[in-house]
Amino acid sequence: MPTLRTFFATVLLGLSLSVGMLQAAEPPSAEAVQQSLDKIADRKLPEADQKALQTVLQQTLSLLANKADYEQRLNDVKELLANAPRQTTENQRELARLKATKPLPVAQRYSGLSVPQLEQMLADRTTQQGELQKALASANSQSIAAQTRPERAQAEISNSQTRIQEISNILKLGRDNGKLLNADQRNQLNAESASLTALIALRRQELAGNSQLQDLSGSQHDLLLEKTTRQDQEIQELQTLINQKRLAYSQQTVTEQSIEAQKSGSSSLLATESAINLKLSDYLLRSTDRLNEVTQQNLETKQLLDSVTQSDQALDEQISVLKGS
């Protein structure tokens, strides 16, 4: 009897291990799947079967890529959370410092620069402003994601767990919708299960650190908003200073031509040339005024468009989050 009992125990253990292997096998490597895909023609399958196999292999590669992406994002989140308290504190300190410091007027800082130098500085500041606005939009998206994460992540985890159980049952039965599974289909299901497992780990880590992530994104948003506001003001002041210098140059030209006209005296030729130069100078002055006006309008329009674009992006992000929740 002991021998018979031992025999049955061994058989049951073997069956249990076999079922476990069928339910939870390691996914294939991306390299192995790619090799199968590259050599698919060597199998000499009928066209319909080859296309079906190609689809299975491509989907398996996609699932393995998702798994790798989730694992990398999990590492990124862990690193982000490790630095979040320090970064949040630094953001808050920098924001407090900025708000406590009143910037010097642009006219006071850069009055000695020429118009070309100021125009180059304006171009640089405009480029920097574009980068700041992108960063602000990103921080806003992260803040919205953190606010809505608990409900979305929990639903995603639940759905993933349900699908993993479905996959386990399919592998256990060895059939999907009544059709016998082949090795490539098993690989695809194992890859899907592994991908979902990696996704669950990512979402759980995000949930665990959501409070820190929300504090971090909020501090980044507030700091970047202050920086973009200051940059907007500096751009406006730079343009104003450029306009003033252009106008001053034009006025100086008009004044010089007026003096030349007075010096021409009775010489008809000099008087004629001076009169022409004076008219041209007057035209230059009026053109400068018009140029300054148009440039200022263009700048204000651009800033308004940037603000509208930023609002649209924030709205799109909120809609996207709500659709995904």
Side-chain angles (χ1 to χ4, degrees):
M1 285 298 291
T3 303
L4 187 60
R5 191 179 293 114
T6 302
F7 170 75
F8 279 119
T10 303
V11 171
L12 288 173
L13 178 60
L15 288 173
S16 175
L17 290 173
S18 298
V19 170
M21 289 177 64
L22 289 174
Q23 293 182 59
E26 283 293 319
S29 67
E31 292 77 10
V33 177
Q34 186 62 56
Q35 286 179 2
S36 296
L37 188 59
D38 293 339
K39 297 179 180 179
I40 194 171
D42 295 346
R43 301 196 188 187
K44 302 186 184 305
L45 298 171
E47 183 178 355
D49 291 344
Q50 180 170 316
K51 285 185 177 180
L53 175 58
Q54 183 177 9
T55 299
V56 168
L57 294 174
Q58 288 173 339
Q59 289 177 347
T60 303
L61 282 175
S62 178
L63 290 165
L64 291 172
N66 289 343
K67 174 179 176 291
D69 178 58
Y70 296 144
E71 290 171 344
Q72 180 58 54
R73 286 164 60 185
L74 176 60
N75 290 332
D76 292 343
V77 169
K78 288 180 178 178
E79 183 178 353
L80 185 64
L81 287 171
N83 297 321
R86 175 186 56 79
Q87 188 61 57
T88 299
T89 300
E90 288 180 2
N91 290 341
Q92 292 169 342
R93 285 175 178 171
E94 185 176 358
L95 177 61
R97 181 186 60 80
L98 285 175
K99 288 189 172 183
T101 306
K102 186 177 181 180
L104 288 174
V106 165
Q108 183 176 340
R109 282 181 285 164
Y110 306 124
S111 60
L113 297 182
S114 65
V115 169
Q117 288 174 318
L118 289 170
E119 288 175 334
Q120 181 58 54
M121 183 177 291
L122 178 60
D124 293 341
R125 294 292 189 275
T126 302
T127 300
Q128 293 168 5
Q129 181 71 328
E131 296 301 318
L132 283 173
Q133 287 172 340
K134 288 180 183 178
L136 179 59
S138 176
N140 188 58
S141 297
Q142 292 168 10
S143 180
I144 294 171
Q147 292 170 19
T148 58
R149 178 174 288 120
E151 183 179 349
R152 290 185 298 109
Q154 288 167 4
E156 199 168 7
I157 289 171
S158 177
N159 292 336
S160 297
Q161 289 173 331
T162 300
R163 177 56 183 163
I164 288 173
Q165 185 59 52
E166 290 174 355
I167 292 172
S168 178
N169 293 337
I170 292 171
L171 289 171
K172 180 179 178 181
L173 292 172
R175 293 177 179 274
D176 188 11
N177 293 324
K179 295 181 180 180
L180 193 66
L181 294 174
N182 59 37
D184 294 303
Q185 291 168 330
R186 285 186 178 280
N187 282 339
Q188 181 184 1
L189 289 170
N190 284 321
E192 183 181 357
S193 180
S195 174
L196 292 172
T197 299
L199 175 60
I200 289 172
L202 171 63
R203 294 295 180 245
R204 282 177 172 166
Q205 183 65 68
E206 289 174 338
L207 277 175
N210 193 56
S211 178
Q212 289 176 298
L213 293 174
Q214 193 165 353
D215 290 342
L216 176 60
S217 60
S219 69
Q220 289 173 333
H221 176 273
D222 294 344
L223 176 59
L224 288 166
L225 182 61
E226 178 68 20
K227 286 184 175 181
T228 55
T229 300
R230 285 173 172 251
Q231 193 83 322
D232 266 340
Q233 182 62 35
E234 181 163 325
I235 287 172
Q236 284 279 5
E237 291 184 18
L238 275 171
Q239 187 60 66
T240 298
L241 181 58
I242 290 170
N243 293 346
Q244 290 172 346
K245 282 182 172 287
R246 282 178 182 159
L247 185 60
Y249 174 77
S250 298
Q251 289 173 336
Q252 181 182 354
T253 301
V254 171
T255 300
E256 290 173 353
Q257 292 304 320
S258 297
I259 294 173
E260 288 298 323
Q262 292 174 1
K263 289 181 179 179
S264 63
S266 58
S267 172
S268 59
L269 179 59
L270 289 176
T272 301
E273 290 181 353
S274 296
I276 293 173
N277 289 337
L278 192 58
K279 287 182 179 180
L280 290 174
S281 298
D282 183 61
Y283 176 76
L284 173 63
L285 184 60
R286 286 185 284 109
S287 297
T288 301
D289 279 336
R290 180 55 181 161
L291 174 62
N292 288 345
E293 181 183 348
V294 171
T295 303
Q296 192 69 33
Q297 289 175 349
N298 287 343
L299 178 61
E300 292 172 359
T301 301
K302 182 182 182 303
Q303 290 178 328
L304 180 60
L305 286 174
D306 288 342
S307 177
V308 171
T309 300
Q310 188 175 327
S311 297
D312 283 345
Q313 289 175 342
L315 182 59
D316 288 342
E317 179 66 24
Q318 291 177 9
I319 292 173
S320 177
V321 167
L322 290 174
K323 283 183 177 179
S325 61

